[in-house]
Amino acid sequence: MIYVPILKTRTEELRIMLSVKGCLGERIIPLIEIISEKYATRYMVDDRGEFVCRIVNGRKMKIKCKPTEQDIITLEYVNELVNHNKVFIDYFRFSLDKYGKNIDFDNAELAYNLSNDYELYKKKIFSIPKYENMIPVISIKKGFEISKRDLKKILSELQNESMQVALRITEEWLDDYQDIMEDMLRKEDYLLFDIEEQDPETKFMEIEQLKDYGCSCNIILLNSPRKAIIKNGEYPERGITDLINNCAKDIAETYELDGYGDYCGLKDVMPTKNGSNGTGAALALLYDFKDNVFYSYCNHDTSLGVKGYRALLPVIKEEEVVHNKDGDCLGYERINKLPGCGNWNVWHHINAVRYIHQVYKNI
């Protein structure tokens, strides 16, 4: 069984990859949704080759150059984070209908450009095969269909360059691309069947349909079990939550699929312009693989914002004897080193790192 943790290229999610790189390998293959570029840092120099500086608070500070296309190091950066292990690369395209209009385009500029420039999307896909461990993902979903003729051409060219290729597809397009999945996807390739926020238990007909196709490739069931619309304050104050349905693992086993994937306890959302304004329910989610459930710790006083973690932290530490019996949990390793009570990003990190590590220990 293969597990595919799905993460976007936000700063904290990339740090998650760094924290779990020891867990990655043939059984855990991350899927990185690239929404922004990473640039090498260059500094301005004068005619004499000396750095151009300015004075800030009485100190000399080198002036950074404006990044150019030649400074893009996104794939190199991701490769270092995953320690050159296998990784799916999905140059991410999105629709405002799904993710809303309050998107912070400064932190998702590439995804916006890819969504509006098909030629750029293809160019980025064809840049992936130069890294042997990276698996190019061609993604087909609502609003971003690819003609069968073009898809065949892209697949064929990628297969000539890559040992493995992945086709990520939502259920609307299974019939339309059946012949391509059957005839073109090789044994070593991947079909990533993405049901998004739908309940995996309701997708038995589509999964059986896929199995009947007789595809020779690896079939992975992707889903987003933590609904984006559910607010933190709706989770239980303390105990198991039924708001996250993790049954994709069981469904994949039942139908003898090759694996499953999800957002490792995070929501499938894009960066937004407005933060929490200092308010919101502090929420910590700790995954347990054995029972396949999340334990929820929530401070329902939304006026506290991140300060609400002060009351949660002692409770979570008290229950370490339940959640960290082997004493090796990467999430609790971070919890026990917190200088304070943490913030939203810190607890997102703890949530995802523990989830991936739980899968690593048990898959």
Side-chain angles (χ1 to χ4, degrees), residues 64-261:
K64 291 182 181 179
C65 296
K66 185 176 180 180
T68 66
E69 187 173 348
Q70 287 67 41
D71 298 318
I72 294 173
I73 56 168
T74 308
L75 295 183
E76 295 95 317
Y77 186 71
V78 169
N79 220 4
E80 290 300 316
L81 292 177
V82 301
N83 201 26
H84 302 267
N85 283 292
K86 275 188 183 181
V87 57
F88 294 104
I89 299 294
D90 186 349
Y91 275 99
F92 195 69
R93 299 187 290 174
F94 69 95
S95 67
L96 297 179
D97 288 341
K98 178 176 179 180
Y99 291 96
K101 298 180 180 179
N102 193 36
I103 293 172
D104 180 2
F105 291 105
D106 288 340
N107 287 310
E109 182 179 5
L110 177 61
Y112 177 79
N113 292 336
L114 292 169
S115 303
N116 293 281
D117 188 340
Y118 180 54
E119 292 304 315
L120 175 63
Y121 176 67
K122 288 195 292 184
K123 177 183 176 182
K124 289 296 185 180
I125 288 177
F126 286 117
S127 71
I128 301 169
K130 65 179 179 180
Y131 299 93
E132 291 184 0
N133 60 303
M134 292 188 167
I135 305 170
V137 177
I138 307 167
S139 185
I140 296 173
K141 52 192 170 183
K142 186 176 181 181
F144 299 101
E145 306 84 37
I146 300 175
S147 72
K148 293 180 69 172
R149 179 180 177 181
D150 211 9
L151 179 57
K152 288 178 180 179
K153 185 173 184 294
I154 293 171
L155 257 177
S156 179
E157 291 182 22
L158 283 176
Q159 287 172 333
N160 286 334
E161 300 292 330
S162 292
M163 295 292 291
Q164 295 179 302
V165 174
L167 177 63
R168 183 179 185 179
I169 191 167
T170 52
E171 65 181 87
E172 302 97 320
W173 314 110
L174 292 181
D175 289 336
D176 290 4
Y177 297 97
Q178 176 183 350
D179 58 333
I180 294 177
M181 291 185 285
E182 288 178 329
D183 301 336
M184 292 195 67
L185 291 180
R186 306 164 298 186
K187 183 179 179 181
E188 60 270 22
D189 291 332
Y190 293 86
L191 176 61
L192 307 177
F193 178 41
D194 191 352
I195 63 172
E196 300 176 313
E197 289 192 349
Q198 298 179 87
D199 183 348
E201 292 172 312
T202 68
K203 298 290 107 182
F204 62 93
M205 291 183 63
E206 290 82 357
I207 294 172
E208 289 176 348
Q209 178 183 347
L210 266 181
K211 296 286 287 184
D212 288 342
Y213 284 171
C215 300
S216 60
C217 63
N218 300 285
I219 300 177
I220 308 290
L221 177 63
L222 301 184
N223 75 133
S224 180
R226 184 176 170 188
K227 306 291 190 292
I229 197 171
I230 297 178
K231 297 179 180 179
N232 285 8
E234 297 178 54
Y235 286 86
E237 183 174 311
R238 182 177 181 178
I240 294 172
T241 176
D242 60 2
L243 294 177
I244 304 177
N245 185 350
N246 303 301
C247 70
K249 175 175 74 74
D250 301 324
I251 297 297
E253 290 174 348
T254 299
Y255 288 93
E256 298 182 335
L257 303 181
D258 297 283
Y260 70 102

Side-chain angles (χ1 to χ4, degrees), residues 295-314:
Y295 284 82
S296 167
Y297 299 88
C298 184
N299 191 324
H300 289 156
D301 186 347
T302 57
S303 68
L304 294 174
V306 296
K307 293 178 182 178
Y309 285 112
R310 290 177 182 169
L312 297 182
L313 194 55

Side-chain angles (χ1 to χ4, degrees), residues 249-275:
K249 175 175 74 74
D250 301 324
I251 297 297
E253 290 174 348
T254 299
Y255 288 93
E256 298 182 335
L257 303 181
D258 297 283
Y260 70 102
D262 54 41
Y263 289 86
C264 38
L266 305 180
K267 294 179 179 181
D268 173 21
V269 293
M270 294 291 285
T272 55
K273 295 176 185 176
N274 301 323

